[in-house]
Amino acid sequence: MTGTRSRTGARSSEAADRRLRRPFFARPTVRVARELLGARLRVTGPDGVREARIVETEAYVRGDPASHSYRGPTRRNRSMYGPPGTLYVFRIHQVVCANLITRRAEGILLRAGSVDGQSPGLARGPGRLARYLGLSIRDDGLDATRDARLALYARRTRPRRLGVGPRIGLSRGAERPLRFWIVGERSVSPPRD
DNA sequence: GAAAAGATTACCT
DNA sequence: GGTAATCTTTTCC
């Protein structure tokens, strides 16, 4: 847990626990959505530490009719206008979904994660992933690059194969290929793989 | 004010 | 494959 930082400045051969900081998120959303695959999200809650490896993401970009920021700031989406790395949590039906904000009110929906030693169904789907991590609507607006409760850690290796396809569950803007996943991961949402 | 819609999930036939 | 659950935000009259 406690990162072993070299005090001499010597290059570390293990980038095992490199936390993703502001500059990582302050880049084009699609690029961040792809590089988030394989990263680990760690949340410290009342029940201890929960961690999942991100295996499926969706990008929501500017001028995108499916994005919650499409019609400008509202009470619900205000955290989309926060700095890069802001967590945007919204409620849909009886569940919550978590996003990471990049730039210009663009964001990335975390659609699925894998957890070592656990069934793929545990964190398959944005609602189940957020539930497993213990995230709630009260976490909306947290800064994932600074807050102690919530941190992302860079992936150790690049995924073998990346899947790209249309986003899921949208009534508008669904045709754009803005969903990304790690091919072969069993926690990825059903359809084409 | 009232009504509709929704980046979902679970359970039905 | 279809639909109900469930509830907040947004949108419309």
Side-chain angles (χ1 to χ4, degrees):
Chain A
M1 271 54 87
T2 61
T4 55
R5 184 184 313 236
S6 168
R7 305 179 63 200
T8 64
R11 184 169 306 171
S12 172
S13 58
E14 41 171 88
D17 272 14
R18 184 173 71 81
R19 184 171 184 179
L20 300 179
R21 298 291 186 179
R22 191 88 68 210
F24 177 88
F25 297 99
R27 296 181 302 150
T29 301
V30 166
R31 177 151 188 198
V32 178
R34 297 165 64 105
E35 293 189 15
L36 229 30
L37 294 172
R40 285 157 298 134
L41 176 53
R42 186 179 300 164
V43 178
T44 305
D47 300 329
V49 177
R50 291 280 175 90
E51 184 175 310
R53 184 168 152 271
I54 297 169
V55 299
E56 184 182 7
T57 60
E58 277 180 359
Y60 289 83
V61 298
R62 208 158 179 81
D64 177 359
S67 172
H68 284 179
S69 65
Y70 185 57
R71 298 187 182 284
T74 65
R75 182 177 192 78
R76 175 176 67 164
N77 69 16
R78 69 189 185 288
S79 52
M80 289 191 76
Y81 294 82
T86 296
L87 184 73
Y88 167 47
V89 180
F90 69 90
R91 189 185 190 89
I92 172 80
H93 295 274
Q94 65 270 47
V95 302
V96 299
C97 300
N99 304 254
L100 290 164
I101 300 308
T102 54
R103 300 184 301 184
R104 302 192 307 252
E106 300 186 344
I108 298 164
L109 173 69
L110 305 177
R111 274 203 67 89
S114 75
V115 185
D116 289 343
Q118 299 294 323
S119 152
L122 183 66
R124 171 189 288 150
R128 282 182 288 253
L129 173 61
R131 185 182 61 182
Y132 170 73
L133 292 171
L135 293 171
S136 80
I137 197 70
R138 293 187 304 276
D139 299 313
D140 180 42
L142 288 183
D143 186 344
T145 70
R146 297 177 65 88
D147 198 281
R149 268 203 64 196
L150 175 70
L152 283 131
Y153 296 94
R155 61 194 186 192
R156 299 188 176 97
T157 60
R158 181 187 297 265
R160 300 264 178 195
R161 251 190 91 201
L162 220 67
V164 181
R167 295 171 295 183
I168 293 179
L170 303 181
S171 59
R172 301 180 306 179
E175 65 287 344
R176 304 180 65 174
L178 293 175
R179 183 168 67 99
F180 309 96
W181 65 92
I182 298 176
V183 172
E185 282 291 338
R186 290 157 64 213
S187 299
V188 171
S189 304
R192 23 181 165 269
D193 196 273

